[in-house]
Amino acid sequence: GAGVSQSPSNKVTEKGKDVELRCDPISGHTALYWYRQSLGQGLEFLIYFQGNSAPDKSGLPSDRFSAERTGGSVSTLTIQRTQQEDSAVYLCASSLGFTGAPDTQYFGPGTRLTVL
Amino acid sequence: AQSVTQPDIHITVSEGASLELRCNYSYGATPYLFWYVQSPGQGLQLLLKYFSGDTLVQGIKGFEAEFKRSQSSFNLRKPSVHWSDAAEYFCAMKGMNTGFQKLVFGTGTRLLVSP
């Protein structure tokens, strides 16, 4: 079946501009995650959505970062007033989302963001 | 604090030789453990996972990993490496408590395969 998809695959923007990154999870997966992969920091958790519950935003690095998930499916990660340190690969993952039970996350191909 | 350590940044192995990638974790209980592989320009692909039970787990592409509680380790092995295995490998863990869903990753090990 179809895996996690992300768009765009590459995004180049100028410092100070806003960007939106999109994630389409695997059908039927109720949990969705955003991670950031950068040279200096490795793979970092950003935010986690589970069904209709309030998201876990504990990994968002600043208030310039926000994310939403509409209709329990597609998610958009928005970065406002981008800075050069935001340059990274942004990875989205989804999982079945069984709480209290082992759960496996499946990753999309990522969006490479370059801030000039 | 929860953490994952992959002590080897780079490893070079000859094609056909055996491979072992090291992974150690720090956690107050037995975590859920994963190995992912990332080829250049690609996302993360799950190789295998350990949740409970048999401590030797088999994965895709001929990989296996062994969970050793006494050493807090979850090393990845393959008996004979192929050139297509060249990639970056990430070990990850997740705590068992219900509300803790994020994966904590190691810094990765880049595998180079020589002819």
Side-chain angles (χ1 to χ4, degrees):
Chain A
V4 177
S5 61
Q6 293 186 245
S7 61
S9 55
N10 282 284
K11 177 72 176 179
V12 180
T13 190
E14 294 178 349
K15 178 181 172 181
K17 301 281 190 184
D18 298 351
V19 296
E20 286 189 350
L21 312 180
R22 176 189 167 104
C23 172
D24 215 325
I26 293 171
S27 177
H29 281 191
T30 64
L32 187 147
Y33 313 76
W34 284 97
Y35 293 85
R36 178 169 70 174
Q37 185 175 26
S38 56
L39 281 176
Q41 302 298 322
L43 275 154
E44 307 171 276
F45 164 79
L46 295 177
I47 187 169
Y48 156 61
F49 295 89
Q50 171 59 64
N52 296 320
S53 302
D56 175 359
K57 303 179 182 180
S58 60
L60 295 179
S62 77
D63 59 7
R64 296 186 295 105
F65 287 72
S66 62
E68 63 176 19
R69 190 178 184 192
T70 54
S73 181
V74 171
S75 176
T76 302
L77 177 69
T78 301
I79 309 173
Q80 295 179 310
R81 305 180 303 281
T82 52
Q83 304 294 313
Q84 288 183 331
E85 61 262 29
D86 299 334
S87 296
V89 176
Y90 289 82
L91 293 166
C92 176
S94 71
S95 70
L96 286 169
F98 295 136
T99 56
D103 199 21
T104 299
Q105 295 177 29
Y106 297 91
F107 284 79
T111 294
R112 180 174 297 277
L113 175 65
T114 304
V115 182
L116 302 177
Chain B
Q2 304 172 37
S3 65
V4 175
T5 301
Q6 293 180 249
D8 303 306
I9 298 174
H10 295 100
I11 281 187
T12 300
V13 175
S14 299
E15 190 168 16
S18 64
L19 169 70
E20 183 169 24
L21 301 182
R22 295 184 289 166
C23 171
N24 292 94
Y25 66 88
S26 175
Y27 185 58
T30 299
Y32 302 140
L33 294 161
F34 307 82
W35 275 99
Y36 286 88
V37 61
Q38 186 177 39
S39 298
Q42 304 296 313
L44 298 171
Q45 181 182 20
L46 179 69
L47 283 176
L48 46 77
K49 61 192 177 187
Y50 172 77
F51 289 161
S52 65
D54 192 347
T55 57
L56 184 63
V57 293
Q58 303 297 320
I60 62 171
K61 304 184 179 186
F63 286 92
E64 67 177 26
E66 186 171 12
F67 170 63
K68 293 186 177 180
R69 186 192 311 273
S70 61
Q71 299 177 19
S72 298
S73 69
F74 188 56
N75 294 349
L76 181 71
R77 301 193 295 247
K78 186 170 185 178
S80 177
V81 167
H82 187 263
W83 63 268
S84 60
D85 293 324
E88 188 148 23
Y89 291 79
F90 292 92
C91 182
M93 63 162 280
K94 185 166 66 170
M96 282 188 165
N97 49 315
T98 302
F100 185 71
Q101 294 297 329
K102 71 179 183 183
L103 286 171
V104 175
F105 286 90
T107 50
T109 296
R110 183 167 298 278
L111 173 65
L112 305 172
V113 180
S114 60

